[in-house]
Amino acid sequence: MVRGLLNKLVSRSLSVAGKWQHHQLRRLNIHEYQGAELMGKHGVNVPRGVAVSSVEEVRKAIKEFFPNEKELVVKSQILAGGRGLGTFKSGLQGGVHIVKTEQVEDLAGKMLGQILVTKQTGPQGKIVSKVYLCEKLSLVNEMYFAITLDRTTAGPIIIACSKGGTSIEDLAEKFPDMIIKVPVDVFEGITDEDAAKVVDGLAPKGADRNKSIEQVKNLYKLFIDCDCTLLEINPIAETADNQLVAADAKLNFDDNAAYRQKEIFALRDTTQEDPREVTAAKADLNYIGLDGEIGCMVNGAGLAMATMDIIKLHGGTPANFLDVGGNASEGQVIEAFKILTADDKVKAILVNIFGGIMKCDVIASGIVNAAKEVALKVPVIVRLEGTNVDQGKRILKESGMALITAEDLDDAAQKAVKAAYK
């Protein structure tokens, strides 16, 4: 029973480092080649590689960086996992290949500019604008390593497993006893003892123990110095010459640190992101696109989650998470409506505002002005409560708009579902 509970706790804490990571709200994600360059600057062993964006650059890179290599690793660069098992819409199987050097140019040409679909991209896939050419290393042992933030210990936690090269969810299921977790005191920093525990968890077969400890400490320093929310290396591997190498890596960074990590945030590739989320971020709105039919505009993350839940309770499906915050301007409300109405799947919009800091009359004015700028073709259900609620309701009533008003959240959700699926 205790062991079963431990397994559940392990799986829960690992979820941040696994498949749920891409659902985090507005966390900078960078490409593999960018992460490798960053790690190299921080003293972490990485394979020699170069990113290219055209066939001409491929030819030049091979001649300049890999003149004597017989084989190279060709990796498509998209901001999603599962590339190796992905499929291009052109029919090419796999986004990562090891090929003879003379085949690299042809393969890269088939990847560049094409759409790669993986388990994490959704059916729409993502376009490959760059491929990463790497030296082929002789890997004799593959392990798993990650650093993320742990709510329980209120600080960084290092996760290590002596098995690697596959998803952490699979590892947690198949080898729960092999996974170790080492919390680090954020004020004291990583100690030699902490790093040694991690190396023991990795259980390298031939790599020098002291050098491995230094690599772990370098990775932790990178995590802290660069304000990471996730640093995942899968696999971290041993080479035939007993070096510990970060063979593949995923790094995410805290958006709150953008002001002091300008070089890192300049690496952001908005072409890989949902354009609605990019637009929302520019307007300082918290938005995540989903797959439903009922658009939501709410103030406050907690209320937004509750709104989504009650829509589901009444048989509907939310089209998005959209939090306008507690101090949104009329202009932000207008932008929010533009984003919602740009989604062809949206069949109804539910506006749910509880005015504390946010004033109901501001929201109401924003709705009215948005209607003037955007041709509203779907029903709009509005529930207002709180500060200046009477003024807000009066503005809506005098606007002459065909709005559906609701007295409480339950009533609003029912009306939204009915309007969307009538």
Side-chain angles (χ1 to χ4, degrees), residues 103 394 403:
Q103 298 174 318
R394 185 172 64 250
L403 299 171

PDB file of all heavy atoms in Angstrom, residues 103 394 403:
ATOM      1  N   GLN A 103      24.257  11.474 -47.314  1.00  0.00           N
ATOM      2  CA  GLN A 103      22.793  11.471 -47.382  1.00  0.00           C
ATOM      3  C   GLN A 103      22.160  12.632 -46.618  1.00  0.00           C
ATOM      4  O   GLN A 103      20.954  12.853 -46.714  1.00  0.00           O
ATOM      5  CB  GLN A 103      22.246  10.152 -46.821  1.00  0.00           C
ATOM      6  CG  GLN A 103      22.681   8.913 -47.591  1.00  0.00           C
ATOM      7  CD  GLN A 103      22.230   7.628 -46.912  1.00  0.00           C
ATOM      8  OE1 GLN A 103      22.314   7.485 -45.697  1.00  0.00           O
ATOM      9  NE2 GLN A 103      21.739   6.680 -47.716  1.00  0.00           N
ATOM     10  N   ARG A 394     -26.315  48.505 -16.879  1.00  0.00           N
ATOM     11  CA  ARG A 394     -26.985  49.592 -17.582  1.00  0.00           C
ATOM     12  C   ARG A 394     -26.320  49.858 -18.935  1.00  0.00           C
ATOM     13  O   ARG A 394     -26.997  50.083 -19.947  1.00  0.00           O
ATOM     14  CB  ARG A 394     -26.987  50.857 -16.733  1.00  0.00           C
ATOM     15  CG  ARG A 394     -27.804  52.015 -17.369  1.00  0.00           C
ATOM     16  CD  ARG A 394     -27.968  53.191 -16.438  1.00  0.00           C
ATOM     17  NE  ARG A 394     -26.687  53.818 -16.123  1.00  0.00           N
ATOM     18  CZ  ARG A 394     -26.098  53.760 -14.918  1.00  0.00           C
ATOM     19  NH1 ARG A 394     -26.688  53.104 -13.930  1.00  0.00           N
ATOM     20  NH2 ARG A 394     -24.957  54.361 -14.709  1.00  0.00           N
ATOM     21  N   LEU A 403     -27.681  40.589 -26.103  1.00  0.00           N
ATOM     22  CA  LEU A 403     -26.904  39.784 -25.161  1.00  0.00           C
ATOM     23  C   LEU A 403     -27.822  38.902 -24.331  1.00  0.00           C
ATOM     24  O   LEU A 403     -28.980  39.237 -24.080  1.00  0.00           O
ATOM     25  CB  LEU A 403     -26.100  40.686 -24.230  1.00  0.00           C
ATOM     26  CG  LEU A 403     -25.071  41.607 -24.891  1.00  0.00           C
ATOM     27  CD1 LEU A 403     -24.514  42.584 -23.875  1.00  0.00           C
ATOM     28  CD2 LEU A 403     -23.954  40.784 -25.514  1.00  0.00           C
TER      29      LEU A 403
END
